[in-house]
Amino acid sequence: MTTVVPTSEEDPVLSVVRFMAEMSWADAGAEIAEPQVNRLCVEAQECMIEGRWLDLASLMLTSADLIFSKASEKDLECIFIIICNLVKKPESLDQVHEMAELISTKIIQQPNDKPALRLKILFNLYNLLENPYSRFFVYMKSLNLAIHGKVTEHILPSVKKMDNFLKEWNLGVKDQRELFLAISNILKENKGSTKDYFRFLTKYLETFPAEDASNMNEAKEEAVRAIIDFVRSPDMFKCDLLDMPSVAQLENDAKYAPVYQLLKIFLTQRLDAYLDFEAANSELLKSYGLVHDDCISKMRLMSLVDLGLNESSQIPYSVIKETLQIDDTEVESWVVKAITAKLLDCKIDQMNQVVRVSRCTERVFGVHQWQELRAKLVTWRGNIAGVISTVQANKITEDSTQTMQGLAIR
């Protein structure tokens, strides 16, 4: 097959136009093909002379689908390097954005045909752009292509740089919602990205403030999904969902109120509350694919954390046994599970049958927790100030004593 080889005698753009035209008309015979090829080359040259770069890009993309089916991947990469570089030509940022929109929209039209190559082309286009919003637009097209072309593994490395991208793009709320939801959907399909998936889903839900009541309804399904995924996860024990307006709206929703109640139980109550809920809503739990035994295991750990937060620093074995509804012989194993999950820092005192807790993970970190932290910091600051004052006073006394001793010697 012919390969694109630009020469010094012809502009690279015209070489690509000629190559694409010849490939497109190859089956029509020389008598028909030659005039058509010449016509397209002349039209392309006119666009270049007159600076009609958007028209030139449109002309070159007309036969893109056919070229994708006929050309080798190496040739396709060369072709689209030339096409994408056209975005460097216009001085108007609006025209550059139109070109980026035109090229990226065309690239994603056939996501199942060479999707990895198409994604590579979009990344190249992204790097050629200077306007932050145009970059964001192309990135969103890349996410779309990755999902529908089933090549999400190629997009995952870029997600790790998302904080830097967000600073660069400076997006409005609507675009943030679209971005966070798309990323969460990609990460959900990747087994090793459960926590990142939940983080971006949470970011999406955070974009709905209480005053945005008109759009709140669109977040309901995702709010339910976040709750169910949190409850189902064996290694997530804290979240900030409870007080988010997009999630809190479910509390008074005719359909989803029980789901919100379930979240409230997992974040603020103990095992007995869950068991009462399950007795009245067993079919609801099954409908969401929640396994009762798994929920009991998680609630036992959550209940143990709650004991550590609300009881004294010493929790008797008997209280743990009663709260977790377990046998005497299981108490220590459940404490070990909590330690392994990094929910507790504690020591097991077998002699006195108590667990001495030094630290507990907060299940919820809301306004109340911030106030408690502030109070602790104020106390610590006061204690440190007191220590410094004492040290300084002692130093003054010591200096005075030494001075007096020096005078006495003289």
Side-chain angles (χ1 to χ4, degrees):
M1 180 176 287
T2 308
T3 300
V4 184
V5 182
T7 66
S8 59
E9 297 178 1
E10 187 172 41
D11 187 281
V13 173
L14 292 179
S15 295
V16 168
V17 170
R18 184 178 301 280
F19 175 82
M20 294 174 69
E22 288 174 349
M23 184 171 285
S24 299
W25 290 93
D27 298 332
E31 292 184 3
I32 297 175
E34 190 172 344
Q36 294 295 333
V37 171
N38 290 334
R39 176 185 63 80
L40 289 169
C41 288
V42 169
E43 191 173 340
Q45 197 163 24
E46 289 175 352
C47 289
M48 293 171 67
I49 293 170
E50 297 170 11
R52 292 186 288 114
W53 305 110
L54 181 61
D55 291 341
L56 178 58
S58 180
L59 175 70
M60 297 177 77
L61 291 169
T62 302
S63 57
D65 291 339
L66 179 63
I67 298 301
F68 256 101
S69 65
K70 288 189 172 185
S72 67
E73 291 201 6
K74 184 178 178 181
D75 285 344
L76 286 169
E77 193 171 347
C78 293
I79 289 168
F80 279 94
I81 284 174
I82 299 298
I83 294 175
C84 290
N85 268 279
L86 292 178
V87 299
K88 306 293 286 184
K89 300 290 186 180
E91 295 182 3
S92 165
L93 289 178
D94 289 339
Q95 191 174 27
V96 170
H97 184 78
E98 283 187 74
M99 292 175 70
E101 187 174 338
L102 177 71
I103 295 169
S104 56
T105 301
K106 189 67 177 179
I107 293 297
I108 69 168
Q109 281 182 351
Q110 302 290 335
N112 295 315
D113 180 19
K114 302 181 180 72
L117 175 62
R118 290 174 185 264
L119 203 55
K120 187 176 181 180
I121 292 168
L122 287 179
F123 287 158
N124 179 51
L125 175 60
Y126 178 97
N127 290 325
L128 289 167
L129 296 167
E130 296 180 4
N131 181 20
Y133 190 77
S134 296
R135 284 186 152 204
F136 165 70
F137 182 90
V138 172
Y139 187 80
M140 288 303 299
K141 293 294 184 182
S142 301
L143 294 182
N144 183 292
L145 175 62
I147 293 170
H148 292 95
K150 295 181 173 59
V151 286
T152 55
E153 67 275 10
H154 295 296
I155 211 80
L156 293 178
S158 68
V159 174
K160 296 178 181 178
K161 304 174 184 176
M162 193 49 57
D163 289 341
N164 292 331
F165 289 158
L166 289 171
K167 290 177 184 176
E168 177 192 340
W169 295 336
N170 193 26
L171 302 176
V173 172
K174 187 177 179 181
D175 288 328
Q176 286 182 38
R177 286 175 186 166
E178 185 182 0
L179 174 66
F180 294 150
L181 189 57
I183 292 176
S184 71
N185 288 334
I186 285 177
L187 294 174
K188 185 175 176 62
E189 303 303 319
N190 188 53
K191 292 182 179 179
S193 303
T194 304
K195 289 189 177 180
D196 285 335
Y197 146 72
F198 192 78
R199 182 167 66 91
F200 278 99
L201 183 57
T202 301
K203 280 178 173 287
Y204 166 77
L205 295 170
E206 285 174 338
T207 63
F208 294 87
E211 57 270 19
D212 193 10
S214 59
N215 293 313
M216 198 75 72
N217 196 55
E218 71 182 70
K220 274 186 182 179
E221 296 295 331
E222 277 67 37
V224 171
R225 177 155 62 100
I227 292 172
I228 298 302
D229 286 341
F230 171 75
V231 171
R232 182 186 290 117
S233 173
D235 57 0
M236 281 197 290
F237 299 96
K238 59 181 179 179
C239 71
D240 298 325
L241 294 176
L242 200 60
D243 294 327
M244 285 184 192
S246 56
V247 178
Q249 68 172 323
L250 302 179
E251 186 172 19
N252 300 314
D253 187 88
K255 182 179 179 182
Y256 296 126
V259 178
Y260 184 81
Q261 185 185 353
L262 180 64
L263 176 68
K264 203 167 186 177
I265 289 170
F266 269 77
L267 290 177
T268 65
Q269 299 179 52
R270 296 179 182 176
L271 178 61
D272 56 345
Y274 166 73
L275 292 174
D276 291 342
F277 177 88
E278 191 277 335
N281 298 278
S282 58
E283 292 303 317
L284 175 74
L285 296 176
K286 289 178 184 176
S287 71
Y288 285 111
L290 296 173
V291 179
H292 180 49
D293 288 343
D294 292 343
C295 290
I296 287 178
S297 295
K298 183 165 182 172
M299 271 309 298
R300 280 179 174 151
L301 290 171
M302 301 290 250
S303 300
L304 190 51
V305 168
D306 195 58
L307 286 173
L309 290 169
N310 295 296
E311 303 292 332
S312 65
S313 59
Q314 295 186 20
I315 313 172
Y317 277 30
S318 58
V319 173
I320 296 174
K321 173 192 171 183
E322 180 184 352
T323 304
L324 274 57
Q325 301 186 23
I326 53 179
D327 295 331
D328 291 329
T329 56
E330 297 179 278
V331 170
E332 292 180 6
S333 66
W334 278 100
V335 173
V336 170
K337 287 178 183 179
I339 295 171
T340 303
K342 298 182 179 179
L343 298 175
L344 295 176
D345 284 341
C346 61
K347 292 182 179 180
I348 299 173
D349 186 343
Q350 293 177 322
M351 181 72 70
N352 295 302
Q353 296 283 284
V354 295
V355 175
R356 304 182 191 279
V357 179
S358 57
R359 182 199 64 84
C360 275
T361 296
E362 295 276 1
R363 289 190 283 177
V364 178
F365 207 91
V367 175
H368 177 67
Q369 286 73 28
W370 280 113
Q371 289 173 341
E372 285 187 344
L373 179 60
R374 183 180 183 277
K376 287 180 181 178
L377 290 173
V378 169
T379 302
W380 290 342
R381 185 173 64 180
N383 292 340
I384 291 171
V387 170
I388 292 173
S389 296
T390 301
V391 170
Q392 288 176 338
N394 289 337
K395 188 174 187 302
I396 291 171
T397 302
E398 184 181 341
D399 290 346
S400 299
T401 301
Q402 289 176 350
T403 301
M404 292 301 293
Q405 289 175 344
L407 290 172
I409 290 171
R410 288 176 190 170

